[in-house]
Amino acid sequence: MEMAARFLDLGNIDLWRSEEMQLVQLMIPADAAHDTVEALGEVGVLQFKDLNVEKSAFQRTYANQVKRCDELARKLRFFKEQVEKAGLPVAPRSILDAAGVTMDELEGLLEQLERELVEMNANQDRLQRAAAELAELSLLLDCAGKFYDPARRAASGAGALGAGGAGNGSLQGA
């Protein structure tokens, strides 16, 4: 029973590995940590183990960097939603992969693009409202024209008859 519980524990990833691994602890200076972890992550053969499980997210050393990453992930989800909403095709690999863009550059780029996209969405909403208002006014003018055209024709016809009738009556009287 205990063995079955151990195999069903998905949190124990050691049982699911196909290759032998070694536990290694690296002591990296804080100023080189970002570049080192990025380079190790690109290798793709490492698994990181959290040695600060008991600490909350706000007590961790890199809480601000995690917040930045969360904000970048939010922006990327926003862009993905907008791309899907527009029905645009998405390239399988990012153009930024080959460019070697840093986190700071990516953050600035996403901030600028998000601002522009939000502004474009607001402009599109304003244009759609203006188009709807203009269509409503056009329909109103068409309906009013249909209502007033017979009255205008009748009035212009009565005016022509009245002017012609008065002229004819004065000629007849002379």
Side-chain angles (χ1 to χ4, degrees), residues 55-134:
K55 288 187 177 182
S56 72
F58 298 106
Q59 294 173 329
R60 294 177 182 257
T61 307
Y62 298 103
N64 290 335
Q65 285 81 356
V66 171
K67 288 178 192 174
R68 282 177 63 195
C69 290
D70 286 343
E71 181 64 16
L72 291 177
R74 181 200 61 79
K75 289 176 184 177
L76 290 172
R77 282 190 306 273
F78 172 69
F79 289 131
K80 181 181 178 191
E81 290 168 4
Q82 295 298 309
V83 166
E84 288 173 353
K85 182 179 169 183
L88 299 173
V90 179
R93 299 263 331 169
S94 173
I95 298 169
L96 299 175
D97 285 347
V101 176
T102 67
M103 178 93 155
D104 292 333
E105 293 169 341
L106 180 62
E107 188 175 28
L109 177 64
L110 290 180
E111 180 71 31
Q112 176 190 356
L113 292 174
E114 182 185 35
R115 239 182 289 119
E116 290 175 6
L117 188 55
V118 166
E119 185 178 338
M120 283 190 282
N121 285 343
N123 288 339
Q124 182 181 8
D125 289 344
R126 278 194 293 275
L127 287 172
Q128 286 176 339
R129 278 194 306 271
E133 288 174 9
L134 289 173

